[in-house]
Amino acid sequence: MAPIENPLKQIHSIMNDENAVLIYSGEFNQEIVKSMLNYTEGKLESSGIDDLVRKKIFNVMVEQLQNITKHQYTDDEKSVVQPCFVLIEQENHYNLVTGNPIHVDTIQMVSDRINQVNSLNADELKDLYKQARLNSRISEVGGAGLGFIDVARKTENKLDFGFYDIDSANYKYFTLKTQINKIIQ
Amino acid sequence: MEYTFNLQKLMAESNYLLAIRDNFESLLSKSVFSIVESQINNDKIDVNIKNRIFSVVVECVQNICSNDKAHSTAKNSILLLNKIDNGHNIVVGTKLNSERKSRIDEILSEISSSTIDELKAKRKNIISMRSELDETQKENLALIDMFIRSAGKVKYHYDGENGNDCFLIIEIEISNN
C-alpha cells in the first residue's frame, strides 16, 4: 500500500511536538466558532479543571475567535493563506493561538498596541481598559485594541505574537498566542 | 510560534480543514461530530454525500480512534478532514499495539480484496447479530462501512513502528458524485 502523502505526517508531527489538540484552518463563521467552542467546552469538562479557569479559557477563546471572524482575509488576491485556530494543551496551561493575514498598514499599530499591553501590570491594564471604554475608542482594526487589553487581563499572561511573510505585497500573517494557566495563582 | 504559521501553510496547501489529536473519549466525540457537521454544512454538497462523510467520521471516532482502553488519557489518535478536487478525504490515525495491529491488518486485507457486494453481504451478516458484537466485530463493521461508503476508495498504511506499537493511518475518500 503506497504511503499517504507527507503533509499529513508533518501536521501530525508538529501537533505532537507542540501538544496541539485542535487545528482549524479555513473560513470562520458563527457555526464553526460555535462548534469549536462546544468542542473546547467538552474537552475542559472532561479534563476536570477548575470552573474559574474553564470560564477564563472560554471567554478568551470567544474573544480571539470573534476577532478572527471579524478580521478574516477579504482581499481579492488568490492565496492559500487562511485564518486558523490552534488549541494547545500543555501540562500546566492551555494556549490559544490564532492566525490570520493582516494588512501591512496596520502591523505597526497592532504591534505597538500589544507591546503596550505587555508592558503594563494588572492595575495599569485595568486603568487602560477603563480609559479605552470611556473614550469608546474604536481602533482602525475594529476595536481589536480593546480586545488585546481584555485578553491580557483575563489571561494574566503576556501576549505572544509574530508577523510572517506570505506571498503578498499587502499582507503578512499575524499570529497571536495567549496562555491560560490551569491553576490560578 | 512559527509552528502555527507552518501548520497553517501545510493545512492550507493540502486543503486540510480540520485536525484533531485526542483520545476521542465519548464526551468529546459529540463535539468532534459537531465541528465536522458545521464544516460540511458549509459546503454546497448533496445531503447524501454529507451523510456519507458524517457516517465515516462517526465510525472513525467511535471504533478506530477510541479503542485504546489501556491508554484512554493519552492523545494517541488523530482525525483530519481534507477537501479535495471532487470531494472530501477523511484521514484517521491511531496507535496500535501488536495484538490490535494483527487483528486490524487481517480485517483490512480481507476487506481490501472483497467486492462492494461481498462487503454488503458481510455487513448484513454482522448486523444480524448486532446484540452480540465484540470489539473485533465492531472494528470489522466500521471498516466495512468505510469501504462501502467510499466505494472502496480507502488507503491505509502503518507508520512509526516502535517495539510493540505502530501508527495506523487510514485515508477514506468520499467523492461528490
Side-chain angles (χ1 to χ4, degrees):
Chain A
M1 192 72 55
I4 295 161
E5 67 263 38
N6 233 8
L8 163 68
K9 236 174 141 175
Q10 287 174 274
I11 292 168
H12 189 210
S13 158
I14 300 177
M15 286 183 93
N16 273 337
D17 292 347
E18 302 298 334
N19 286 315
V21 290
L22 170 72
I23 308 169
Y24 173 78
S25 165
E27 189 199 338
F28 279 70
N29 58 36
Q30 287 310 315
E31 208 185 337
I32 293 286
V33 167
K34 205 173 135 194
S35 64
M36 275 192 284
L37 287 169
N38 283 341
Y39 172 81
T40 307
E41 203 173 21
K43 179 142 200 65
L44 298 175
E45 252 173 57
S46 70
S47 69
I49 61 164
D50 187 274
D51 276 359
L52 261 178
V53 178
R54 217 160 76 188
K55 206 172 150 195
K56 212 178 248 198
I57 294 170
F58 197 76
N59 287 339
V60 174
M61 191 168 163
V62 168
E63 179 69 40
Q64 283 186 251
L65 292 178
Q66 274 177 350
N67 274 338
I68 283 233
T69 310
K70 218 188 294 175
H71 304 293
Q72 52 193 318
Y73 199 26
T74 49
D75 199 291
D76 287 338
E77 291 172 62
K78 292 271 177 216
S79 170
V80 290
V81 179
Q82 299 267 16
C84 78
F85 172 76
V86 184
L87 174 65
I88 293 169
E89 185 181 4
Q90 303 281 11
E91 201 183 334
N92 298 316
H93 63 262
Y94 283 93
N95 288 120
L96 308 177
V97 191
T98 50
N100 60 312
I102 182 171
H103 200 279
V104 286
D105 290 348
T106 59
I107 287 177
Q108 194 58 52
M109 192 256 290
V110 168
S111 176
D112 288 347
R113 182 55 67 103
I114 300 177
N115 283 327
Q116 183 197 13
V117 164
N118 280 344
S119 71
L120 301 177
N121 64 31
D123 289 337
E124 291 166 335
L125 274 176
K126 198 174 171 184
D127 288 343
L128 181 65
Y129 187 75
K130 269 189 201 163
Q131 193 192 332
R133 291 220 54 166
L134 276 174
N135 293 343
S136 302
R137 222 182 258 160
I138 303 299
S139 73
E140 293 224 344
V141 283
L146 202 60
F148 293 141
I149 306 170
D150 195 28
V151 166
R153 289 185 66 205
K154 280 174 182 148
T155 61
E156 297 170 66
N157 283 310
K158 304 292 176 203
L159 308 178
D160 192 0
F161 67 105
F163 300 97
Y164 300 92
D165 288 333
I166 53 177
D167 194 16
S168 164
N170 299 323
Y171 286 84
K172 279 187 185 270
Y173 201 75
F174 168 52
T175 56
L176 176 70
K177 179 165 91 173
T178 57
Q179 177 175 316
I180 301 123
N181 301 336
K182 286 184 179 174
I183 294 166
I184 298 174
Q185 305 294 326
Chain B
M1 227 197 335
E2 205 169 350
Y3 64 85
T4 308
F5 180 59
N6 292 335
L7 266 177
Q8 182 282 324
K9 236 166 55 179
L10 282 167
M11 298 272 291
E13 276 166 8
S14 310
N15 272 323
Y16 282 107
L17 307 163
L18 180 72
I20 300 174
R21 176 181 146 267
D22 222 310
N23 57 351
F24 295 94
E25 43 117 340
S26 56
L27 185 63
L28 278 182
S29 299
K30 266 196 223 163
S31 320
V32 173
F33 301 150
S34 134
I35 298 189
V36 172
E37 198 175 15
S38 56
Q39 184 54 62
I40 52 178
N41 278 343
N42 236 2
D43 292 334
K44 292 180 182 74
I45 48 172
D46 186 85
V47 67
N48 289 326
I49 306 291
K50 283 183 187 173
N51 288 342
R52 277 163 61 196
I53 297 171
F54 197 71
S55 304
V56 168
V57 170
V58 170
E59 294 299 348
C60 288
V61 169
Q62 288 186 336
N63 294 307
I64 306 300
C65 294
S66 61
N67 218 343
D68 190 0
K69 303 279 191 287
H71 304 96
S72 60
T73 55
K75 297 175 184 68
N76 279 337
S77 297
I78 185 169
L79 177 82
L80 293 107
L81 184 65
N82 168 255
K83 209 170 179 173
I84 53 171
D85 273 351
N86 190 31
H88 285 79
N89 265 348
I90 298 131
V91 183
V92 59
T94 196
K95 197 172 171 183
L96 304 178
N97 59 25
S98 54
E99 187 196 336
R100 192 166 177 224
K101 186 201 166 179
S102 69
R103 190 172 74 223
I104 286 199
D105 196 44
E106 200 177 312
I107 298 173
L108 281 169
S109 306
E110 195 190 324
I111 292 176
S112 310
S113 59
S114 306
T115 64
I116 297 294
D117 284 341
E118 285 167 341
L119 291 177
K120 282 181 181 168
K122 271 184 200 166
R123 179 169 68 176
K124 208 172 163 187
N125 189 30
I126 298 174
I127 288 174
S128 68
M129 47 184 187
R130 191 150 205 141
S131 58
E132 307 152 26
L133 291 192
D134 59 22
E135 290 303 311
T136 310
Q137 286 163 325
K138 280 184 200 163
E139 281 166 354
N140 203 343
L141 195 59
L143 293 165
I144 287 177
D145 224 50
M146 288 175 196
F147 273 77
I148 293 175
R149 289 186 189 277
S150 65
K153 289 178 185 158
V154 177
K155 288 193 269 184
Y156 67 94
H157 79 281
Y158 301 95
D159 202 8
E161 305 241 6
N162 180 13
N164 262 346
D165 296 329
C166 71
F167 202 78
L168 165 69
I169 295 173
I170 309 177
E171 184 178 332
I172 307 112
E173 180 185 323
I174 307 284
S175 46
N176 286 346
N177 38 40

